[in-house]
Amino acid sequence: MPQKAISPRHIKGLIIQHAIHGSSAALIGRSFKIARSTVRAYIELYNKSDLVHADISNLSAESIASSIRPQNYIYKHAKYITLRDRFFQYHHRLKNENTNMKSLWHEYTQNEPSGLRYSQFVEHYHMWRTENGFSKVHFNKWQIGNIPKEDEKILREWRLSNKRGQWERAVALLDLQEGKYITNISRKIERSCKTIKKWHATYIDKGIKYLELPRTRGVPEQIIDNIILKKERIIKLIHESPSLHDINRTSWSLQTLTQAYDKLYNETISMSSISEYVRSEKYTFKKARTVLTSPDPEYRTKLKEITNILANLKPNEKFFSIDEFGPVAIKMRGGRTFAPKDQTRTIPQMQRSKGSLICTAALELSTNQITHFYSNKKNTTEMIKLLEILLDKYTTEERIYFSWDAASWHASKMLYEKVKEVNDPEYRRKYNTPFVMLAPLPSSAQFLNVIESVFSGMAKAVIHNSDYQTVDECKLAINRYFSERNQAFLENPKRAGKKIWGKEIVKAVFKDSNNCKDPKYCR
């Protein structure tokens, strides 16, 4: 006897396939999507029946099914006959009312206590729906039937509110009323399906007033005072050394702060709380950076004097930033360069120097022109030599300013006497030279010397990654670098003070926040 009842149409079809076409049970099962055991059972019933080949073609599907079905199925079939008259009403209700098959089956069993079970009820309904060509009804169990006008008015006000919580609840309930699915609403308002179902249940069971946003309670003053006290204690600990609290560290960590706080105040506090309190007070872990500072007591006075000179520099005046580069040993040098990933460039640690050089130079700030020569030593004689070169080169200027750091040979008596000599009116008339004024930088303020920035760019361009064989070869590269740089600023004077040659670490302009001297590129 078949374990599963199938429709008369399927019964007639499988009998035709078996009796007329000779198909196997497996092939028939795949064709009709029926289990092979069910197909074999109906074939066995057909073989035991009185049906002949002519009956298969002439009789209706219902007649064939009633001829081969067992006697106990006639009882079930009678129940289906009485039930099929109700399916149209059930289908209409499923389509237009907020109900489902489970509810309809409960209603059916109240009138027919000995009727079909739920699975049979659903199966027969789907068979009836398929035979009559009705489309499947998609049931939404979370759909809200009718929202009262008073509630709908409140929800529409919430949907226009600037409060996110009210907007979410209003959109969810109004969309549920329209029959939209919870998954689509969840994506729309970016809340979980569980939360939307919770709002649905709250509204159905209790009403709209229980969906209102909870009022935010103020934090008690006692808690606020306690938080402020904890912050003050933590900042006090940060200002103290860990060694004062018997902690063998030179700096604090979150863990050591927790331990010290617990030991000192006999109160437990978590590392996450300490981290939050510390960040709220604008503290963070930072790595120390080595910077150059000037201890000169007249730092601000000298700086103000230089800035005033530059601010009022006339067209027939020139301001020179002066310094020496080196001594630089001529040997193979390392640096950053393009190289294959699988190759590592190495530099011998012990090398024999091929010689050394010192480059004495002056950078004129208004035109960004470099004047340089090579020296054997750093002394006053070389400074006097540079002074004479600049006096001879800038004879058409009315005044020139010399600015340099506080090296001993920059402030020697011999140099000051030479400056006094060239500023003598008789000397100036005889040699047609400009007036010389000194504007020394504050002591230990190499970071303000603009020419240091040019030296850094030059070293990065022609010294790093170099392997010059002679001193003259290195000098030739430096000469070419300064020559090309001077020519570039002669042709493009607007570039002066903006982006200097593209190699300097900062702009070659005088500024109190500059750090022109880069220890990686020059000494």
Side-chain angles (χ1 to χ4, degrees), residues 194-415:
K194 183 178 179 180
T195 301
I196 298 174
K197 292 175 183 178
K198 181 181 176 182
W199 294 340
H200 175 275
T202 302
Y203 176 73
I204 297 298
D205 298 339
K206 299 181 179 180
I208 195 170
K209 70 175 183 178
Y210 287 91
L211 282 175
E212 295 179 356
L213 296 176
R215 296 181 180 179
T216 55
R217 296 184 300 171
V219 182
E221 294 184 2
Q222 184 178 359
I223 295 178
I224 296 176
D225 294 340
N226 190 25
I227 292 174
I228 294 174
L229 178 61
K230 287 181 179 179
K231 288 182 180 180
E232 291 175 353
R233 288 174 174 177
I234 291 169
I235 300 304
K236 181 181 177 181
L237 280 175
I238 291 175
H239 290 163
E240 296 175 353
S241 173
S243 59
L244 297 177
H245 300 273
D246 196 25
I247 296 175
N248 189 25
R249 283 179 61 94
T250 57
S251 60
W252 288 105
S253 66
L254 293 177
Q255 184 177 3
T256 53
L257 281 171
T258 304
Q259 295 171 358
Y261 190 95
D262 188 9
K263 182 178 179 180
L264 185 61
Y265 299 107
N266 196 25
E267 182 181 355
T268 303
I269 187 171
S270 66
M271 288 191 291
S272 59
S273 297
I274 288 182
S275 176
E276 184 178 351
Y277 294 157
V278 167
R279 290 179 183 275
S280 67
E281 293 298 315
K282 309 301 181 184
Y283 280 79
T284 185
F285 289 101
K286 284 189 176 181
K287 185 178 179 180
R289 184 179 65 178
T290 303
V291 296
L292 296 171
T293 56
S294 173
D296 195 331
E298 298 181 359
Y299 175 84
R300 293 186 179 278
T301 303
K302 293 180 179 179
L303 180 62
K304 185 176 182 181
E305 181 181 351
I306 293 173
T307 53
N308 286 338
I309 292 172
L310 291 174
N312 300 295
L313 197 66
K314 297 178 182 179
N316 58 352
E317 296 178 347
K318 295 292 182 285
F319 191 100
F320 294 94
S321 176
I322 297 170
D323 204 359
E324 301 88 1
F325 177 78
V328 178
I330 307 303
K331 58 182 181 180
M332 184 184 294
R333 293 186 173 274
R336 295 174 62 88
T337 185
F338 287 106
K341 288 185 178 181
D342 57 346
Q343 295 182 15
T344 303
R345 184 168 176 263
T346 59
I347 306 296
Q349 183 176 3
M350 303 301 295
Q351 298 184 57
R352 178 174 292 183
S353 174
K354 305 179 185 70
S356 65
L357 63 82
I358 298 173
C359 180
T360 302
L363 171 66
E364 204 289 301
L365 297 188
S366 63
T367 59
N368 276 275
Q369 297 296 298
I370 287 282
T371 303
H372 75 286
F373 62 90
Y374 299 99
S375 307
N376 294 324
K377 295 181 180 180
K378 293 182 178 181
N379 53 29
T380 303
T381 304
E382 301 301 319
M383 288 295 98
I384 292 175
K385 180 180 176 181
L386 178 62
L387 174 62
E388 291 174 346
I389 291 174
L390 294 177
L391 288 173
D392 184 58
K393 185 176 180 179
Y394 291 91
T395 54
T396 58
E397 304 298 332
E398 181 181 345
R399 181 173 299 183
I400 61 175
Y401 294 90
F402 276 30
S403 179
W404 40 39
D405 55 32
S408 59
W409 57 89
H410 292 167
S412 63
K413 291 182 180 180
M414 186 186 303
L415 180 61

